[in-house]
Amino acid sequence: MGKFVVFEGPEGGGKTLQARLLADRLRINGHDVVETREPGGTRVGNEIRSVLLGLGDYTMLPETETLLLAAARAQHVREVIRPALERGAWVVCDRYVDSTYAYQGGGGGLDYQSLQAIQVFATGGLEPDVRILLDVPVAIGLRRRHADPASVNRIDLADMTYHQRVRDRYLELAAASPAGWIVIDAQGAPDTVQSCIWRQLQQRLANA
Ligand code: TYD
């Protein structure tokens, strides 16, 4: 089995760039790497993504978000992630189940037990080998995100208190199971953040 590495974090932590840099580095080291993201990663997942994140004239309950995300995730696990891991590839994924705990749970106020039951159903219990939390204070993250208006999605538009709850929940999740998480201060320059991720990931896997 390959390794399943997930990037997590609040808005504006630079996950997308760091996921790409890590995938490049793993390839240079001779690994087969699949890069993917949520919501999305499959054709039906991308259709669901546009309903979830589109700026259409509608509101959406966190329950609805959770079920749409879970539908996309079920497809993603079986069509992309599991087959890649089974052939020995590394999977580097931009967001996974902990995004649901942080956003729909922390931000949206849904209880952990209900969310967990849905995640187990959607993923068949597939968990990451390691999650990399790119942590950034909310005001800085949102400022980075809004610097590129074309990248702003429906969930980004939630208020500051929502985003603060998201960040807080991520930190709680990581603190509750330190063996499953690497927490990185993502305020630094991309190169610094990348070196930090690489060093900690190697240590973690060497100890595993
Ligand atoms: P995306 O444009 O991929 O941006 P980001 O760089 O922030 O990942 O947007 C994904 C959005 O979907 C982001 O606002 C977080 C949200 N999301 C959830 O609320 N719950 C989830 O389970 C997932 C996977 C994403």
Side-chain angles (χ1 to χ4, degrees), residues 8-16 37-40 49 52-53 65-66 69-70 73 94-104 119 145 151-156 162-163 170:
E8 291 285 359
E11 308 300 330
K15 288 186 311 316
T16 308
R37 68 164 180 185
E38 291 202 347
R49 179 184 177 91
L52 259 163
L53 299 179
E65 291 175 353
T66 301
L69 286 155
R73 190 162 291 143
D94 191 345
R95 299 194 179 282
Y96 189 59
V97 297
D98 294 286
S99 284
T100 299
Y101 295 136
Y103 282 80
Q104 285 63 47
Q119 302 317 302
R145 170 53 45 95
S151 78
V152 173
N153 67 54
R154 191 180 55 77
I155 291 178
D156 295 331
Y162 178 99
H163 289 290
Y170 270 126

Side-chain angles (χ1 to χ4, degrees), residues 144 185-190 192-193:
R144 283 185 181 171
D185 177 354
Q187 291 181 78
T192 316
V193 173

